[in-house]
Amino acid sequence: NAGVTQTPKFQVLKTGQSMTLQCAQDMNHNSMYWYRQDPGMGLRLIYYSASEGTTDKGEVPNGYNVSRLNKREFSLRLESAAPSQTSVYFCASSEQSGDGYTFGSGTRLTVV
Amino acid sequence: AQSVAQPEDQVNVAEGNPLTVKCTYSVSGNPYLFWYVQYPNRGLQFLLKYITGDNLVKGSYGFEAEFNKSQTSFHLKKPSALVSDSALYFCAVDNYGQNFVFGPGTRLSVLP
């Protein structure tokens, strides 16, 4: 089925460990996004990529890095995980402004 | 900066009654506005959007939303609520064509 695929679905990390969250879309969308969801705070933008080869910081970029590997893939890396990064992470894509986003099913990350 | 407010953390409604989930926004220029729904342990799903034109927008699952420019509101409505409508609802505004800004979410509970 067409859509946005995120891996892994669940992850537990120890403080200081690193990991990469993977995201891939097969809809040939230009733009891709990483959000984190925390209770009572809605979704906050971490990074986005308006097109292949470009990335920009969002509202809460500290502690994260991203790579737009190609048009399909947009990964999010935590270099040294902290408990404050415990959250649910969503990847999304869109074709252009005015279009809705298509979301992945999320990655639930716990940092202990 | 663009911002979205959802003044109610929780909305309770009896099955068969009309429901309203409120959203107000603060944007410059003409807004692109969206509603998304999130079921437990799932990603966000697109419900409807307002870009231009008729102030009453119809979307998926019988939902509709009314754009009111003078009140800067975009309330989500449904004439007759179903228990299966129970979920978390997010209002979002397009941020200058670069990304979305989401509201904090409203949890809708439809009671049988």
Side-chain angles (χ1 to χ4, degrees):
Chain A
N1 293 333
V4 178
T5 302
Q6 289 183 239
T7 56
K9 293 189 183 302
F10 301 94
Q11 184 71 49
V12 178
L13 290 179
K14 293 182 179 180
T15 298
Q17 286 185 317
S18 63
M19 78 161 296
T20 299
L21 281 65
Q22 306 288 353
C23 175
Q25 53 92 7
D26 58 5
M27 297 167 287
N28 204 37
H29 285 171
N30 287 316
S31 301
M32 298 185 73
Y33 313 84
W34 277 106
Y35 284 86
R36 60 178 287 174
Q37 182 180 19
D38 301 291
M41 303 187 75
L43 279 76
R44 293 181 293 167
L45 182 66
I46 305 172
Y47 272 93
Y48 66 102
S49 171
S51 62
E52 186 179 356
T54 68
T55 61
D56 288 283
K57 295 178 180 180
E59 180 184 356
V60 288
N62 291 345
Y64 305 95
N65 285 300
V66 291
S67 295
R68 183 74 182 267
L69 304 171
N70 46 56
K71 194 170 185 179
R72 290 187 65 248
E73 299 172 286
F74 188 39
S75 62
L76 178 72
R77 182 161 178 84
L78 286 70
E79 291 291 351
S80 179
S84 61
Q85 294 178 305
T86 293
S87 187
V88 181
Y89 292 85
F90 287 100
C91 178
S93 69
S94 69
E95 174 60 22
Q96 60 185 6
S97 174
D99 290 347
Y101 284 6
T102 300
F103 281 87
S105 57
T107 296
R108 186 173 296 274
L109 175 67
T110 302
V111 183
V112 298
Chain B
Q2 318 280 52
S3 65
V4 176
Q6 293 180 243
E8 300 158 317
D9 293 335
Q10 174 94 28
V11 170
N12 297 320
V13 64
E15 187 174 29
N17 284 1
L19 70 87
T20 298
V21 182
K22 296 179 180 178
C23 171
T24 60
Y25 62 89
S26 174
V27 305
S28 55
N30 295 318
Y32 292 175
L33 296 159
F34 299 80
W35 275 102
Y36 284 82
V37 59
Q38 184 181 32
Y39 298 102
N41 301 313
R42 302 286 297 275
L44 278 71
Q45 298 177 30
F46 171 79
L47 275 180
L48 52 79
K49 67 180 178 182
Y50 172 82
I51 304 298
T52 187
D54 193 346
N55 289 344
L56 185 63
V57 179
K58 294 188 183 298
S60 307
Y61 313 120
F63 283 94
E64 57 190 27
E66 186 169 12
F67 171 66
N68 187 317
K69 189 171 184 177
S70 63
Q71 297 186 2
T72 61
S73 67
F74 188 56
H75 300 332
L76 182 70
K77 300 181 180 184
K78 189 174 182 182
S80 179
L82 300 173
V83 172
S84 57
D85 293 330
S86 298
L88 191 55
Y89 290 81
F90 290 97
C91 184
V93 62
D94 185 290
N95 186 27
Y96 303 113
Q98 296 181 334
N99 51 69
F100 283 7
V101 174
F102 286 86
T106 298
R107 187 166 301 280
L108 172 68
S109 292
V110 181
L111 309 173

